[in-house]
Amino acid sequence: MLSSISNRLFVTQLFLLLILSSVFIGMVVYTAPMFLQELNQRLNLDLADNIVKEKKLIIDNKVNHKAMKTVLNGMMLVNPSIEIYITDPNGKIMAFSAPEGAVKRESISMAPVKEFLTTDVNLPVLGDDPRSKKMNKVFSVAPIKNGKNLDGYLYIVLAGETYSSIFKLLESSYLFRSWFFAIFVSILIASIIGFVLFRYITRRVYLLSDEMERFKKTDFTHHVSLPERFDGRKGDEIDQLGSTFLQMSDRIIKQVKLLQHNDNSRRELIANVSHDLRTPLASLQGYLETLLLKNDALTSDEILEYIQTAYENSQRLQKLISELFELASLENNDATLHFESFSMSELAQDVSQKFKLKAKNKGIKLETKIPEMPAFVSADIGLIQRVLENLLDNAIKYTPEGGEVEIALSIDDSTIVTVIKDSGQGISELEAEHIFERFYRIEKHRDQDGSGLGLAIVKRIIQLHNSSIAVLPAENKGAIFSFDLPCASIA
Ligand code: ADP
């Protein structure tokens, strides 16, 4: 039962309420009799004085029993519990109203009497109860004087009720009964309100804890959904906690996905690398072995051919390894780019010039369309050159003899768009989806020389320039690759 936070709060509240009400009840029980005595004494403060002024209770140093009886009769009608005593100036009891044998003391102590008669007396003042050897009770007292002489005192014990227990007090007092009933009802109402409020306030804690549990059960892959108020913009500590949890869970999901992705990529990379390296390596080994074993049986032309093929395979290996390193260093987040302002037109011209001979050898018409306006970009010139070379190389490689390849620049708003298109077989929609993945090669091109890493490198370079490269899928109509770079502001 106490495992839930709202129940704990409820029990704590109940406990505090009970402590508070116990203290209050204790105070009432302790002070109520004192208060009643004080009230009784305050109401009858002048009672003895008034009687003494009216009746001559001592005449010639003797108690006037007749007058005393009249007083007593009068008193009995008003308050039968009142007891009257007449004492001499030292407190010795000379006459009393009680039945014979009921009075246990011969005299009363004068200290409380004197205290009562001072002007700034603090009520209640308790004096001796002549009917008991130990008890003290509230009283009213007045000196009986004959001229200037003090004949004695009229000492009235204002007995009243004494309550031996709180239950007796409760039984007899409507006021106290009402108080205790009010306390009981307040505790009940406060407990009910507290219970409902704690449930309401802690509702979000339960929601959070449920969602956290679900998140844990799904091995930290489930997307957490919390009500809008947990968006972290406002709210109390619980809302803040929810918002932090949301952010944390998003981060964890991303990290887990990234880890899984990296792990898959690593496996894929190892599989691809080992496959792509093994083929040229096996071929290289084969030719070298043949040369070693059959050296004497081979003609010099055959030897030259074998060496040539072995050399080509070693070149393929070298290209593959260097492209792998290049891609790895570009994918490394620490890759640093050296941005500078340069003319994209000039770069395109230069690269195109470099491929002129290769295109001519294959009977391909290589055209360059450059705008008349200066086309300056801010980028890493070495890397952009790498992009253009790779795209032109591919365009020439995958375009049959007699075809056309074009590199065209255009200025669109504040960007320079570069398009490289060819009249080859083009790329289908399905192939376009994978063309930029590393090691991806279109099935029909697998017998051609290539690593499948060039376009992955190109994509990464353009990404590092905060842009993107696109391929227009159009089968049998040639391939069209395009990317844009922001114009450089020329000072
Ligand atoms: P590689 O050319 O070394 O194989 P790339 O990453 O540069 O590697 O290209 C990946 C694949 O995309 C190529 O194998 C080829 O199948 C296809 N490809 C690239 N450019 C073209 C193009 N201009 N026309 C048709 N297919 C292309």
Side-chain angles (χ1 to χ4, degrees):
M1 183 214 171
L2 281 181
S3 60
S4 98
I5 189 163
S6 65
N7 286 355
R8 279 188 198 176
L9 285 172
F10 172 67
V11 170
T12 311
Q13 181 219 23
L14 201 65
F15 183 65
L16 290 176
L17 279 176
L18 286 176
I19 289 183
L20 272 178
S21 41
S22 306
V23 169
F24 181 72
I25 290 171
M27 290 277 290
V28 169
V29 168
Y30 175 74
T31 55
M34 300 276 279
F35 171 71
L36 289 177
Q37 283 181 331
E38 182 189 336
L39 198 69
N40 194 2
Q41 196 166 38
R42 199 172 287 285
L43 287 173
N44 295 297
L45 196 67
D46 298 328
L47 181 66
D49 198 41
N50 288 339
I51 293 171
V52 167
K53 275 182 191 152
E54 290 242 332
K55 303 279 177 202
K56 274 210 162 289
L57 294 171
I58 298 178
I59 301 170
D60 297 336
N61 289 330
K62 283 190 183 143
V63 176
N64 179 357
H65 285 282
K66 201 174 157 208
M68 189 172 156
K69 198 162 173 112
T70 325
V71 170
L72 192 63
N73 287 342
M75 287 281 100
M76 288 309 254
L77 292 175
V78 185
N79 188 350
S81 62
I82 274 179
E83 296 155 22
I84 296 178
Y85 299 87
I86 292 173
T87 71
D88 70 5
N90 297 319
K92 191 166 180 298
I93 298 171
M94 293 160 65
F96 49 82
S97 63
E100 211 60 50
V103 176
K104 301 275 176 0
R105 294 184 201 243
E106 287 189 355
S107 62
I108 53 164
S109 155
M110 288 309 289
V113 171
K114 287 198 172 132
E115 191 187 336
F116 184 90
L117 291 173
T118 53
T119 42
D120 51 354
V121 58
N122 270 333
L123 298 181
V125 179
L126 297 181
D128 289 344
D129 175 13
R131 286 198 189 201
S132 149
K133 289 212 160 156
K134 285 184 186 156
M135 288 258 288
N136 290 316
K137 284 186 176 168
V138 279
F139 62 92
S140 175
V141 73
I144 304 169
K145 285 185 175 166
N146 182 11
K148 284 198 173 172
N149 289 340
L150 178 66
D151 285 346
Y153 291 97
L154 172 62
Y155 184 77
I156 303 174
V157 174
L158 307 166
E161 287 289 332
T162 48
Y163 302 100
S164 54
S165 77
I166 185 67
F167 299 105
K168 281 210 167 156
L169 177 67
L170 277 179
E171 246 172 39
S172 59
S173 166
Y174 170 77
L175 181 74
F176 289 119
R177 267 205 316 274
S178 309
W179 279 8
F180 286 103
F181 180 70
I183 290 172
F184 175 74
V185 171
S186 317
I187 292 179
L188 196 74
I189 293 174
S191 304
I192 294 170
I193 293 176
F195 185 75
V196 173
L197 270 179
F198 293 144
R199 280 260 149 189
Y200 176 74
I201 294 169
T202 53
R203 188 177 98 261
R204 287 168 297 140
V205 178
Y206 294 127
L207 199 79
L208 262 180
S209 115
D210 283 354
E211 207 55 29
M212 279 180 179
E213 194 55 35
R214 201 169 319 146
F215 184 54
K216 195 174 104 188
K217 277 189 184 144
T218 59
D219 206 18
F220 308 106
T221 52
H222 152 88
H223 263 285
V224 174
S225 60
L226 287 173
E228 215 177 285
R229 61 175 299 168
F230 287 102
D231 62 3
R233 274 175 294 170
K234 51 183 189 274
D236 56 15
E237 286 85 349
I238 302 176
D239 292 332
Q240 297 294 334
L241 199 70
S243 139
T244 312
F245 169 58
L246 263 181
Q247 289 167 14
M248 251 168 55
S249 61
D250 279 351
R251 188 70 177 267
I252 290 171
I253 291 170
K254 270 188 199 142
Q255 292 291 335
V256 168
K257 274 194 184 153
L258 191 71
L259 279 177
Q260 284 169 347
H261 175 77
N262 284 350
D263 198 43
N264 288 342
S265 314
R266 193 178 50 82
R267 282 168 209 269
E268 204 180 291
L269 183 71
I270 290 169
N272 284 324
V273 168
S274 55
H275 172 265
D276 280 67
L277 287 181
R278 213 180 292 138
T279 319
L281 197 65
S283 165
L284 179 71
Q285 250 180 344
Y287 282 103
L288 290 176
E289 255 174 31
T290 316
L291 277 170
L292 271 176
L293 295 172
K294 296 186 180 173
N295 192 18
D296 298 339
L298 295 172
T299 64
S300 58
D301 279 352
E302 279 174 329
I303 292 174
L304 198 67
E305 192 197 323
Y306 279 24
I307 292 175
Q308 180 66 35
T309 319
Y311 176 67
E312 278 167 14
N313 274 311
S314 76
Q315 270 191 320
R316 271 181 67 193
L317 260 179
Q318 197 223 356
K319 188 174 176 243
L320 187 67
I321 291 167
S322 67
E323 280 189 343
L324 265 173
F325 274 113
E326 192 181 358
L327 185 60
S329 76
L330 285 169
E331 281 184 345
N332 184 350
N333 286 335
D334 305 332
T336 42
L337 274 67
H338 303 285
F339 278 86
E340 59 182 299
S341 242
F342 62 88
S343 162
M344 190 67 181
S345 316
E346 274 178 32
L347 183 69
Q349 288 282 18
D350 290 351
V351 175
S352 166
Q353 198 59 38
K354 221 170 140 183
F355 283 86
K356 267 266 154 40
L357 189 65
K358 196 173 184 181
K360 197 178 159 201
N361 288 345
K362 212 178 161 187
I364 288 172
K365 197 171 140 200
L366 176 57
E367 269 197 70
T368 314
K369 286 191 181 167
I370 306 289
E372 282 177 11
M373 286 162 70
F376 275 86
V377 291
S378 172
D380 186 314
I381 188 166
L383 292 178
I384 298 301
Q385 181 173 345
R386 177 82 176 87
V387 168
L388 292 179
E389 283 175 356
N390 200 289
L391 293 174
L392 268 186
D393 191 41
N394 278 352
I396 294 168
K397 189 160 58 172
Y398 301 112
T399 300
E401 277 182 30
E404 283 175 21
V405 170
E406 181 188 285
I407 173 165
L409 299 187
S410 60
I411 300 175
D412 182 12
D413 287 336
S414 56
T415 56
I416 291 171
V417 184
T418 307
V419 177
I420 288 147
K421 62 179 176 186
D422 60 57
S423 62
Q425 282 187 326
I427 294 151
S428 73
E429 215 160 308
L430 195 71
E431 290 157 355
E433 278 178 28
H434 304 281
I435 199 108
F436 293 105
E437 289 171 9
R438 56 180 152 191
F439 294 112
Y440 179 81
R441 297 171 73 190
I442 295 175
E443 206 50 52
K444 60 188 173 231
H445 298 145
R446 285 199 174 266
D447 54 342
Q448 294 202 41
D449 197 22
S451 64
L453 289 172
L455 285 182
I457 292 172
V458 164
K459 184 184 174 186
R460 182 66 191 149
I461 292 174
I462 301 296
Q463 258 180 0
L464 288 172
H465 284 82
N466 294 323
S467 187
S468 58
I469 180 161
V471 58
L472 206 74
E475 223 171 349
N476 300 323
K477 285 188 189 158
I480 303 174
F481 287 88
S482 71
F483 66 91
D484 48 56
L485 291 170
C487 285
S489 50
I490 306 157

